[in-house]
Amino acid sequence: MCGIIGYIGEREVAQVLFEGLQRLEYRGYDSAGIAVYDEDELTVIRSEGKLINLWHRLKKETLRGKIGIGHTRWATHGRPSEENSHPHTDCHGKLVVVHNGIIENYLSLREKLLEDGHVFRSETDTEVIVHLIEQHFDGNLEEAVRETLTEVKGAYALGVISAEDPGKIVAARCDSPLILGVGEDEYFIASDFPAILNYTRSVIFLDNHEMAVITDKGIKVMNTQGEPLEKPVSQVEWNPVQAEKGGFKHFMLKEIHEQPRVVEDTIRGRLEEDLSEVFLDGLNLSDEELNNFDRIVILACGTSWHAGLVGKFLLEEYARLPVEVDIASEFRYRDPIINEKTLLLAISQSGETADTLAAVRESQRKGGKVIAVTNVVGSSIPRESDGLLYTHAGPEIGVASTKAFTAQLVAIYLFTVKMGRVKGLIPPAQAQEMISELRKIPRHLETILEHNEYIQELARKYFKKRDFLYLGRGINYPIALEGALKLKEISYIHAEGYPGGEMKHGPIALIDENLPVVCIATRDRVYEKTVSNIEEVKARDGIIIAIANFEDTEIKSKTSEIIYVPKTSEALSPILNNVPLQLLAYHIAVRLGADVDQPRNLAKSVTVE
């Protein structure tokens, strides 16, 4: 949450900062601002609301300068307003700070600073940082920041510049993501890769309790005690084109249509030529070590948690291991039973989800081994885990996850085949069959996407409904949850996902002629049970929207609407059944005039509690 960008080099900094914020706006869009240094003067321009409001302000200014910092905000402390937007300044306007995270002891610090005569202009926790730096400053910005960090408790990613110690950006990080970009005679700080992809793909990852001093000569990294550190420069695989809309109206629609390629990319290079084996080199665990685990715990939040629920069905069936799926924000606040025989999968698109990261640390403290399932290789969770199962989704800009979820499902499926082979429960012929079915998924997804116009027509018919119910059974119950979540996230329509068998335990009371009920009814072992649920909805005049296989002629007479999908194995059906629900949510939200890519109150990466 919140996006930070900083630049020092020969370009006009205001343009670099604004373009960087455009590519980070998915991290927060309550307010935005930039600070530019030029000729002994700091200029700060801020605005409430979306980034376009900042652009209107900038058009009225003539900003010159080669060094600056910017921020786009997701509000935690203090309502969205110009006063609460970043960058924040000290009492004399000589020092500016941008911050992502939460300072937990800000109230006691603020009280002390007020007693010392500092004047506060905002309601934010961030402002205590800039006043602490001001209090410690004696001409050396780096030292003032270091002393400040000894007093603050909580999470932070910081960018700081000063008119009294010019020519540098001081950055620091603890439990909030921050990367350093290395260009040709130019350098960057950023919360995420898309902000700097147009300029460089060479990055340095800051770890917790590390600082950096960035000048036009280069980057120095040290720990918060001032001891210099040698940090490698890594290359990011993503390219700038992946972070653009590519002719689509919204990033979300583009990312839905990218899913056939994402499946292919996540499979590529991981299969034996005869399809009997799966290679997952990044796990950093031998087959013998994998075989010794007697239990799996999956840790995740939101959409990733739904992927974990699908993983439970897969791993229990094919690897015969007991699997628990924990919401990471709950896991960390109890005393979970973890030991050296426990394997944990931490699923996070960004690799920075604060609750999942805390759960990883708790698991390792108790002796468990952790494999990160993530889309960003150099992010915090994989760097602190024992192994990595990388999903090759590319940058996902839309706040509501689509292609990253699909990539997670594919990665977990591959991991399931690997575990089944290691355990001796999946013979080579069965592995070949499972992988062959997986390789057909991209074409099946293309077939579904070809029916986009039909789903758009369904959205036109039902977009005025204010409640939806989603039903699924077995391995597709998590897809009912995910379908309901997508609709809630981007259209603000109330929607609930339920296992079909639970309908008679409460939700059936909601059903009348005004309630659309989306039923996942593809052919599997519980197909007849799902059809019984559909009959129950029909008997109460509910509007039935079914997801069914093309070959299913029986279901047509029982439903109001049908979205057809190709037939695949039951284990892979969640990947196909989810895509029509993504499209339905998208088209309903567009009909309602909602901001699909940047839904209200949400941010892409939840890096604070």
Side-chain angles (χ1 to χ4, degrees):
M1 291 181 174
C2 299
I4 289 172
I5 179 73
Y7 175 79
I8 185 167
E10 290 303 313
R11 303 177 195 266
E12 285 298 332
V13 68
Q15 185 67 26
V16 176
L17 296 179
F18 185 79
E19 289 178 359
L21 292 179
Q22 284 182 303
R23 292 176 172 84
L24 289 175
E25 197 176 10
Y26 60 90
R27 297 183 66 89
Y29 29 88
D30 292 330
S31 60
I34 66 171
V36 174
Y37 173 78
D38 185 44
E39 295 182 354
D40 300 326
E41 184 177 352
L42 276 171
T43 302
V44 178
I45 299 177
R46 307 181 298 178
S47 67
E48 180 184 351
K50 294 290 185 74
L51 201 57
I52 189 65
N53 298 336
L54 179 65
W55 175 245
H56 291 317
R57 291 276 183 93
L58 292 174
K59 285 196 300 185
K60 299 174 183 177
E61 303 284 341
T62 303
L63 287 181
R64 300 291 182 206
K66 308 297 184 182
I67 179 171
I69 53 178
H71 187 274
T72 182
R73 182 175 185 244
W74 187 86
T76 53
H77 294 76
R79 69 191 187 283
S81 67
E82 185 173 333
E83 293 77 16
N84 289 331
S85 57
H86 299 220
H88 288 288
T89 63
D90 67 341
C91 295
H92 303 97
K94 297 293 186 181
L95 180 73
V96 291
V97 167
V98 291
H99 166 231
N100 179 17
I102 291 178
I103 304 304
E104 296 171 359
N105 60 335
Y106 85 100
L107 285 174
S108 59
L109 292 172
R110 181 185 176 107
E111 186 176 328
K112 181 178 180 298
L113 288 162
L114 285 169
E115 290 174 358
D116 292 340
H118 291 268
V119 177
F120 282 76
R121 303 179 183 90
S122 78
E123 304 166 298
T124 69
D125 57 329
T126 299
E127 199 177 353
V128 301
I129 299 173
V130 72
H131 288 294
L132 281 172
I133 296 172
E134 178 186 20
Q135 187 143 306
H136 290 299
F137 185 77
D138 63 359
N140 187 317
L141 183 60
E142 173 190 336
E143 289 298 326
V145 172
R146 182 178 296 114
E147 290 184 45
T148 294
L149 297 182
T150 66
E151 297 189 52
V152 299
K153 296 177 183 178
Y156 54 79
L158 297 177
V160 190
I161 59 177
S162 170
E164 296 181 328
D165 188 9
K168 66 176 68 169
I169 302 172
V170 177
R173 181 230 158 117
C174 178
D175 288 337
S176 285
L178 197 65
I179 60 173
L180 312 176
V182 182
E184 292 188 15
D185 299 321
E186 59 183 0
Y187 304 92
F188 307 80
I189 65 170
S191 297
D192 206 349
F193 301 131
I196 61 175
L197 283 178
N198 275 359
Y199 304 104
T200 182
R201 285 192 262 174
S202 300
V203 299
I204 296 170
F205 297 101
L206 276 188
D207 288 309
N208 280 346
H209 309 296
E210 291 183 351
M211 295 176 53
V213 178
I214 303 102
T215 69
D216 58 3
K217 305 300 182 188
I219 297 173
K220 295 189 301 181
V221 181
M222 72 250 7
N223 60 26
T224 48
Q225 287 75 49
E227 299 165 335
L229 300 172
E230 292 293 327
K231 302 283 288 187
V233 177
S234 303
Q235 296 299 311
V236 179
E237 293 183 9
W238 297 349
N239 63 64
V241 175
Q242 290 178 289
E244 302 294 339
K245 288 182 184 175
F248 287 89
K249 185 177 180 180
H250 296 98
F251 279 110
M252 183 178 179
L253 186 60
K254 172 183 178 257
E255 288 157 3
I256 290 171
H257 279 79
E258 286 177 336
Q259 289 175 115
R261 177 190 57 76
V262 164
V263 174
E264 291 176 345
D265 289 348
T266 302
I267 296 171
R268 186 175 292 117
R270 288 173 158 169
L271 304 177
E272 178 68 71
E273 190 172 344
D274 69 355
L275 307 185
S276 64
E277 298 289 348
V278 172
F279 302 112
L280 301 173
D281 296 337
L283 299 183
N284 295 329
L285 294 168
S286 67
D287 287 357
E288 182 180 357
E289 288 175 300
L290 288 172
N291 194 36
N292 284 335
F293 293 115
D294 61 14
R295 175 169 162 263
I296 294 176
V297 176
I298 299 176
L299 306 169
C301 299
T303 287
S304 296
W305 183 67
H306 298 156
L309 291 174
V310 174
K312 175 181 172 69
F313 282 93
L314 292 171
L315 287 161
E316 288 191 341
E317 175 160 355
Y318 292 102
R320 303 310 298 160
L321 285 170
V323 179
E324 296 175 34
V325 186
D326 246 307
I327 295 174
S329 57
E330 294 297 320
F331 177 90
R332 62 182 294 195
Y333 290 115
R334 59 186 177 85
D335 188 14
I337 301 170
I338 302 293
N339 57 39
E340 67 280 355
K341 300 276 281 184
T342 307
L343 178 63
L344 297 105
L345 300 183
I347 309 176
S348 167
Q349 186 281 138
S350 67
E352 298 289 353
T353 309
D355 290 312
T356 307
L357 180 57
V360 166
R361 291 168 178 164
E362 175 68 8
S363 303
Q364 291 179 321
R365 189 182 67 80
K366 289 177 172 286
K369 293 286 187 182
V370 180
I371 294 172
V373 183
T374 187
N375 193 40
V376 185
V377 175
S379 54
S380 297
I381 291 173
R383 283 190 287 144
E384 297 198 26
S385 297
D386 300 288
L388 170 64
L389 180 52
Y390 183 40
T391 61
H392 292 266
E396 187 178 66
I397 307 301
V399 167
S401 182
T402 52
K403 65 175 181 173
F405 177 66
T406 292
Q408 289 169 353
L409 295 180
V410 173
I412 292 168
Y413 185 86
L414 290 170
F415 180 73
T416 299
V417 177
K418 173 71 174 176
M419 287 297 292
R421 294 288 293 128
V422 165
K423 293 282 185 181
L425 299 171
I426 299 179
Q430 185 182 4
Q432 289 171 333
E433 183 180 343
M434 292 177 73
I435 295 302
S436 294
E437 282 298 307
L438 178 61
R439 293 180 69 184
K440 296 175 186 176
I441 291 297
R443 180 65 194 112
H444 290 334
L445 291 175
E446 289 170 359
T447 300
I448 293 169
L449 293 169
E450 289 167 3
H451 290 79
N452 179 48
E453 288 187 11
Y454 171 70
I455 298 172
Q456 190 172 0
E457 180 61 21
L458 288 183
R460 187 192 65 78
K461 290 174 69 173
Y462 298 113
F463 76 98
K464 292 183 180 179
K465 301 295 182 182
R466 298 316 302 159
D467 299 278
F468 276 69
L469 180 64
Y470 288 69
L471 299 177
R473 281 183 176 264
I475 199 169
N476 280 296
Y477 155 54
I479 302 307
L481 296 178
E482 175 62 14
L485 177 62
K486 280 293 152 291
L487 190 64
K488 281 184 280 194
E489 283 181 313
I490 63 173
S491 73
Y492 321 134
I493 292 172
H494 174 254
E496 295 295 336
Y498 271 88
E502 284 294 292
M503 185 176 70
K504 292 188 288 294
H505 295 273
I508 198 168
L510 299 172
I511 297 173
D512 60 18
E513 68 279 5
N514 294 311
L515 182 71
V517 182
V518 181
C519 299
I520 302 172
T522 46
R523 293 224 175 233
D524 55 24
R525 73 189 77 179
V526 291
Y527 173 77
E528 287 77 14
K529 299 289 185 184
T530 302
V531 171
S532 294
N533 291 141
I534 289 174
E535 294 280 14
E536 291 164 345
V537 175
K538 184 178 179 182
R540 289 154 181 85
D541 297 323
I543 302 165
I544 302 162
I545 302 173
I547 309 294
N549 294 127
F550 282 109
E551 301 83 1
D552 191 345
T553 56
E554 175 187 345
I555 203 169
K556 190 171 184 179
S557 63
K558 305 177 188 299
T559 63
S560 311
E561 314 283 359
I562 304 176
I563 303 173
Y564 287 108
V565 299
K567 184 79 172 73
T568 187
S569 68
E570 184 175 330
L572 288 167
S573 62
I575 299 174
L576 301 187
N577 294 338
N578 182 58
V579 175
L581 305 185
Q582 293 174 347
L583 286 169
L584 183 63
Y586 169 80
H587 288 302
I588 288 174
V590 170
R591 277 273 171 186
L592 291 169
D595 191 336
V596 174
D597 286 336
Q598 297 174 355
R600 69 186 183 206
N601 302 332
L602 297 179
K604 184 68 178 171
S605 179
V606 183
T607 58
V608 298
E609 280 194 77

